[in-house]
Amino acid sequence: MMSTFVKVIVIGAGNRGKNYAEFATINPVRMQVVGVADPRTFAQKNLQKRHQIPDENTFSDWRQVADREKFADAVFICTPDRLHRDPAVALAKKGYHILLEKPMAVTEEECTEIVETCITSGVMLMVCHVLRYDPLISKIKELIDHGAVGDVMHIQHLEPVGFYHFAHSFVRGNWRNEAQSSFALLAKSCHDLDLIHHWTGGRRCIKISSFGSLNHFRKENKPVGAADRCLDCLVEKTCPYSACKIYLDRVKQGHVGWPVSVICSSSVPDIESVTEALRNGPYGRCVYECDNNVCSNQVVNIEFEGGLTVAFSMVAFTEEICQRKTSIYGSKGELTYDGNRIRVFDFLTKKTTLHSSESSAPESFAMAGHGNADYHLVDAFISAVASADPSLIHSGPEETLASHRLVFLAERARLENRVVFCGPHQEQNE
């Protein structure tokens, strides 16, 4: 019998794992963090102290968790992208319900293996497509299903990554190099392709194309007189991507959350530790002297069955950070979403209706990223596990695998410079 609260082990105590685990401090009668695995001593001990985890349940490797008798109900797997498949498969086989950070894995084959293992092991799988759980974004699907715009004909969707967010994560950071993580469309925009798949009602993709490349953040664009590190650079003050501006200026103003918290993996961020990280670590490098190779801008065009068309754009060079913009055009009306509210224009009445939403998420979660969606995601997972009701999970195995396949198809179309025609389950020959 399951206890009154859900016992969770956090695998990967970085930014995402730490944030999801905070649900336990807000709702201790519903969730308890009973174990942590992370090779980084500082991150491991931080989470241990925060949740009063006993020493015998702290590990430097997730395999030590797998070797133990099952001692919790679920695991939060928040390891780097290329380290998702192995712990997900092994721990599902042990009987743990799985909350898995997106992307599910870095190849279609690995994603399929995770899904099949969770199904055959009889455990629930939630992939962290957090935007599915944002109350306002959830309302878009509700309005579509209630016929607010009639039959959906076309969707335009934009992900503005943000100029310094891209420099932090995809030029200097963990997702800068495909061989070390994954390609940009999977790492950053699988959220968006998942939403598009969701809004189309799971219609079959007929054909897909994609174009994109790495622009600007290349060695040939390095300014004259620029140094290899921002701390040593004579032209740093004229560079919007300066590490001094992104990190050092922020910590001087007392801001120690993201992205500053990411660059000090073994200490609390302060002026001294941030300066040291910029002097010797990857985040202090000139953005024109990094080993980055992922796309900075990409478009994806899709035709779904029934003639529904989609145009998606991801772009690094924006003021707003991840504040998605969506327009959905239907036979009876038009829906637009600007990140703050939804506007629906009715063709018959020529009236506009505005929609907003309320959230019960505490401010600490809203400040951590993704607005309040992280809180609602964990809330849904814990409720599903506690009640043994997988219907509470909106980003489960089969639907997430289907939306991930769209991402893999789009990247294949980009790399092969062609339109990919799709069969019921997979790519067909052109």
Side-chain angles (χ1 to χ4, degrees), residues 13 30-31 80 127 220 262 323 341 372:
R30 296 181 57 202
M31 171 180 153
V127 178
E220 60 265 30
V262 174
Q323 194 84 330
R341 66 179 184 177
N372 50 37

Side-chain angles (χ1 to χ4, degrees), residues 188-204:
K188 190 71 187 80
S189 300
C190 65
H191 278 313
D192 303 276
L193 272 294
D194 179 71
L195 283 178
I196 288 166
H197 179 262
H198 184 49
W199 291 332
T200 63
R203 295 195 210 187
R204 183 170 66 87

